[in-house]
Amino acid sequence: MNPAQRAADLYRATFGEAPLRIATAPGRVNLIGEHVDYHGGHVLPVATAERTAVAVGPAAGGFAAVSEHGERFDGPWPIRERREGWSDYVAGVAALLASEARTPAAARAAGLGVAVASDLPLGAGVSSSAALEVGAAAAFAALWEQYPEPRALARLAHRAETEFVGVPCGIMDQLASAAAPAGSALLINCRTLEMRAVRLAVDLVLVESGEPRSLRGGAYADRRREGEEALALLRAEWPALERLVDVPPARLGALAARLPEPLGRRVRHVVNENQRAVLAAGVLENGDPAAFGALVNASHHSLRDLYQCSTPRLDAIVEAARAVPRVLGARLVGAGWGGSVLVVAEQGAGGPVAAHLRGDVALALPAVRIVAPGSGVELVS
Ligand code: GLA
């Protein structure tokens, strides 16, 4: 059964009636452009084929959320506070949307029931949280007779994560989940939110490291703070500098050298990674997969040495993957500090490459998946 059917069944079993609306949304795998979204840089994600389904309806009294993993949260409606659990991602979206003037007052009066089912792995760096938020945003919006366009849905989902859940993430994951075109990657300018579909002529393999990660940990917030510090120092000399990604590559060496470490390293990563993402879209469009693989490799080196968000295990997986025949490049994917490695293979080689990695006894990888690019959020009913 697909997640939408499972979510509908779970809703019925829990609340004794059919859900009124169901939406499904994908996770994302970012091909390149890591740790640049919150600096207004470029990213190149694909949506996962695996999706999270959110079934909603006006359940009798209160706010109740259930997931097929058996966890249930009950609270007052309208929502007043966080519960410190997965339901916060859903509750945050519901609370924000309910507070908007165009949401009918009747929505705030009735209770709210939510049932969630998902095929996405948790903690694997594919942003199951964005899938949950974006799926919830589309389902609640439809329940309350609103049909926001993908950018607006992504903004709502992003606000739920930053303002309600309290994770200081960028907007890449929510935009990818809301707007990814079927079967293609999406080049996103995270400052202007302009987007362009980019066709892929490579195979993608996602390798889970088994090291779980969560953005609630402090390292991600530390990197954001370092970026702000670096920007403030650069602005002291160059007041017109708006964002770190505006540092021209030709001036990067001299400017970064004047910053205290680790800030210099962080800025070098951000500026170069943003360039790499734009270049990557270009080489893919020009049919040069080998050049794409080289950019992916350079991205990993930069994340490891300059942004310092890799782990010995991620580095070992990257090295092992690069030695597999027909692999073009490999790098850690998502925020880092655990999660997954993305392996880029020649077109048609994804199956054999995945089989090879699964057979690597020394690495003992918990999961190796072919990434079949999916598409953005959908209202099922
Ligand atoms: C996490 C965040 C994103 C982005 C990546 C790193 O996935 O949610 O906004 O910053 O890390 O590129």
Side-chain angles (χ1 to χ4, degrees):
M1 258 200 296
N2 67 36
Q5 292 162 332
R6 295 190 329 256
D9 285 355
L10 181 61
Y11 189 99
R12 240 180 257 110
T14 309
F15 302 110
E17 59 191 22
L20 290 188
R21 294 292 191 176
I22 305 172
T24 71
R28 62 94 190 93
V29 175
N30 188 22
L31 305 189
I32 196 160
E34 216 66 270
H35 287 287
V36 298
D37 61 344
Y38 48 85
H39 291 298
H42 292 78
V43 297
L44 188 65
V46 296
T48 59
E50 296 82 7
R51 302 175 79 84
T52 294
V54 183
V56 304
F63 168 76
V66 289
S67 93
E68 61 184 343
H69 301 300
E71 298 145 301
R72 175 172 178 147
F73 285 86
D74 284 285
W77 173 255
I79 291 151
R80 279 189 282 275
E81 57 188 14
R82 283 205 308 241
R83 317 286 299 217
E84 307 301 337
W86 67 269
S87 68
D88 285 344
Y89 293 100
V90 176
V93 172
L96 282 172
L97 199 59
S99 70
E100 286 184 5
R102 61 174 181 274
T103 299
R108 284 182 285 269
L112 195 60
V114 183
V116 175
S118 181
D119 286 341
L120 281 164
L122 301 178
V126 295
S127 205
S128 51
S129 52
L132 183 54
E133 293 155 356
V134 170
F140 292 138
L143 182 66
W144 298 330
E145 304 297 336
Q146 299 169 35
Y147 301 92
E149 49 90 33
R151 282 185 189 83
L153 266 186
R155 279 204 201 89
L156 172 68
H158 181 241
R159 280 184 60 207
E161 180 138 1
T162 54
E163 295 173 22
F164 190 86
V165 182
V167 173
C169 64
I171 198 167
M172 162 172 73
D173 305 344
Q174 291 79 12
L175 268 176
S177 183
S184 289
L186 187 65
L187 181 70
I188 306 172
N189 176 332
C190 293
R191 174 172 9 203
T192 62
L193 304 194
E194 279 167 297
M195 304 188 248
R196 175 171 107 220
V198 176
R199 287 261 298 280
L200 289 173
V202 290
D203 278 9
L204 305 170
V205 178
L206 190 74
V207 180
E208 266 185 57
S209 68
E211 290 179 313
R213 51 157 281 277
S214 156
L215 296 190
R216 284 162 185 262
Y220 185 86
D222 288 347
R223 288 295 178 279
R224 290 208 62 161
R225 217 168 14 249
E226 288 165 352
E228 278 154 30
E229 270 174 55
L231 184 59
L233 289 173
L234 291 175
R235 275 190 188 145
E237 294 186 34
W238 185 359
L241 183 68
E242 239 181 70
R243 315 288 297 253
L244 288 185
V245 291
D246 297 331
V247 171
R251 290 184 64 185
L252 175 62
L255 282 172
R258 290 212 286 278
L259 291 173
E261 287 304 346
L263 302 189
R265 256 179 266 168
R266 306 292 189 253
V267 173
R268 288 196 342 254
H269 168 76
V270 169
V271 174
N272 288 330
E273 182 74 359
N274 179 46
Q275 298 289 321
R276 276 191 288 269
V278 176
L279 284 172
V283 297
L284 282 172
E285 283 164 340
N286 291 334
D288 190 350
F292 177 63
L295 289 165
V296 165
N297 284 337
S299 170
H300 184 76
H301 295 149
S302 180
L303 290 162
R304 181 191 65 195
D305 302 335
L306 301 179
Y307 220 67
Q308 296 179 296
C309 61
S310 191
T311 65
R313 172 132 172 104
L314 291 173
D315 293 341
I317 296 171
V318 164
E319 285 308 314
R322 285 180 190 163
V324 176
R326 304 182 68 192
V327 165
L328 301 169
R331 68 176 198 86
L332 75 83
V333 65
W337 298 288
S340 295
V341 165
L342 170 68
V343 181
V344 179
E346 288 172 14
Q347 199 156 37
V353 165
H356 197 289
L357 288 166
R358 282 188 200 108
D360 191 319
V361 183
L363 283 178
L365 298 164
V368 179
R369 297 188 173 76
I370 306 275
V371 180
S375 55
V377 68
E378 253 167 48
L379 205 55
V380 179
S381 72

